[in-house]
Amino acid sequence: MSITNLLENWSDFRQQHPSDDRPHREYKWAMSIDLDACTGCNACSVACYAENNLPVVGKEKFAHGHSHHWIRIERYWDNDGREFADQGAQFLPMLCQHCEAAPCETVCPVGATNHTADGLNSQVYNRCVGSRYCNANCPYKARYFNWYDYPTTDNVWPEPMNQQLNPDVTVRGKGVMEKCTFCVQRLTVAKSDARSEGRSVLDGEVQTACQQVCPTGAISFGNLVDPLAKVGKQWMTQQVELNKDKQAKDTAEEAAKLRGYRILEELRTYPSVMYLEQLRESAI
Ligand code: SF4
Ligand code: SF4
């Protein structure tokens, strides 16, 4: 079966089984990324490596098609006849979209990937058997397989670099799938602190590592259920709704000026990441 068939079938399936029967109570974590602010500096990707103990695969393995970055910067070039360096480039940070109806979750034979009550697409490493079905079914190609036992086989973290490992995150072994977790370790601490004080996590109280380092403030993260959260306000202003596969803007005039969209919405995956981008003349 070709990937096109697979995704079309998935879209048909989602149309028969909409996901609006899963209300989120206290939290629904979501992100927005302003592509007009993103400069493609890659700081977010580097921060994600450091925060989440990602191994650097190195030039040789990369040349053989092996990559291992939970957030990658995709580049798009203007096709308007201009030559490099005048030619315009656009950058798009791509990470797990934490879909509400995630195609990766339904195909895992052992239930290693599943949905949390606060809207995360989670991955249970010690249950994963490395079938990689989730990887095949992810339309965003945001899942990464561990081909090597990095800390031992390849000595990726030689002394004293091993001291920079984040003790809040496990170092994964060979044979499991990995992906962006929306920095779940930070969310867990924030939720636990808030619970002990008898309140909910406040907007801005928890940041993802990629958001924290972005020099242009392109990344926003927060709780969509919280009406005061910046990310929720952004989604609302842009008239992007979580459980819709086709965003209906109020008027055609607004549709022309609003910048928010989600990637491959028509597949009914209901992504939790909204991108913002001005339509450029060269793209028309
Ligand atoms: S850190 Fe910010 S500006 Fe740099 S690539 Fe990531 S999103 Fe873009
Ligand atoms: S949210 Fe956390 S895990 Fe996901 S890409 Fe950003 S830094 Fe990495």
Side-chain angles (χ1 to χ4, degrees), residues 33-51:
I33 305 180
D34 190 340
L35 301 185
D36 295 324
C38 174
T39 60
C41 71
N42 259 299
C44 50
S45 189
V46 173
C48 182
Y49 270 89
E51 170 73 16

Side-chain angles (χ1 to χ4, degrees), residues 22-180:
R22 285 194 206 144
H24 294 283
R25 285 185 296 276
E26 205 171 353
Y27 302 108
K28 163 61 204 166
W29 302 111
M31 188 175 266
S32 63
I33 305 180
D34 190 340
L35 301 185
D36 295 324
C38 174
T39 60
C41 71
N42 259 299
C44 50
S45 189
V46 173
C48 182
Y49 270 89
E51 170 73 16
N52 294 296
N53 300 336
L54 297 191
V56 176
V57 303
K59 260 169 135 176
E60 225 171 84
K61 290 193 179 75
F62 189 79
H64 286 91
H66 185 38
S67 58
H68 207 107
H69 32 215
W70 290 1
I71 179 167
R72 63 176 188 268
I73 309 301
E74 296 189 346
R75 280 178 300 178
Y76 295 92
W77 298 97
D78 279 341
N79 188 18
D80 58 1
R82 283 182 292 165
E83 297 291 331
F84 189 81
D86 291 336
Q87 191 184 31
Q90 190 76 9
F91 305 100
L92 186 146
M94 173 55 73
L95 66 166
C96 170
Q97 305 284 300
H98 292 271
C99 312
E100 270 304 286
C104 56
E105 291 172 9
T106 49
V107 292
C108 179
V110 293
T113 181
N114 45 53
H115 218 68
T116 68
D118 49 358
L120 300 184
N121 171 242
S122 72
Q123 180 73 10
V124 184
Y125 297 125
N126 57 2
R127 196 184 289 165
C128 176
V129 293
S131 72
R132 290 179 283 147
Y133 289 158
C134 55
N135 188 35
N137 228 29
C138 171
Y140 305 99
K141 292 290 151 255
R143 292 182 152 258
Y144 299 91
F145 186 66
N146 252 2
W147 288 97
Y148 303 94
D149 225 352
Y150 284 99
T152 51
T153 317
D154 286 76
N155 200 21
V156 170
W157 291 287
E159 297 274 358
M161 275 183 68
N162 56 339
Q163 289 178 25
Q164 64 100 49
L165 288 172
N166 183 352
D168 294 336
V169 180
T170 54
V171 175
R172 286 76 56 187
K174 181 178 177 175
V176 296
M177 289 306 300
E178 300 186 5
K179 57 177 271 302
C180 156

Side-chain angles (χ1 to χ4, degrees), residues 2 53 59 64 106 115 142 160 190 203 207 262 268 280 282:
S2 72
N53 300 336
K59 260 169 135 176
H64 286 91
T106 49
H115 218 68
D203 190 37
Q207 288 190 316
R262 291 181 303 174
R268 297 197 163 212
R280 291 171 299 158
S282 58

Side-chain angles (χ1 to χ4, degrees), residues 28-35 37-38 44 71 93 95-96 98 180 182 187 203-224 228-235 237-238 259 272-276:
K28 163 61 204 166
W29 302 111
M31 188 175 266
S32 63
I33 305 180
D34 190 340
L35 301 185
C38 174
C44 50
I71 179 167
L95 66 166
C96 170
H98 292 271
C180 156
F182 267 175
L187 294 173
D203 190 37
E205 192 176 347
V206 58
Q207 288 190 316
T208 61
C210 51
Q211 171 192 21
Q212 192 178 9
V213 298
C214 177
T216 63
I219 301 177
S220 307
F221 178 79
N223 180 11
L224 271 191
L228 301 176
K230 180 184 170 193
V231 76
K233 284 185 190 157
Q234 279 181 324
W235 278 53
T237 317
Q238 295 297 323
R259 298 187 298 139
S272 303
V273 179
M274 176 187 78
Y275 291 91
L276 296 139

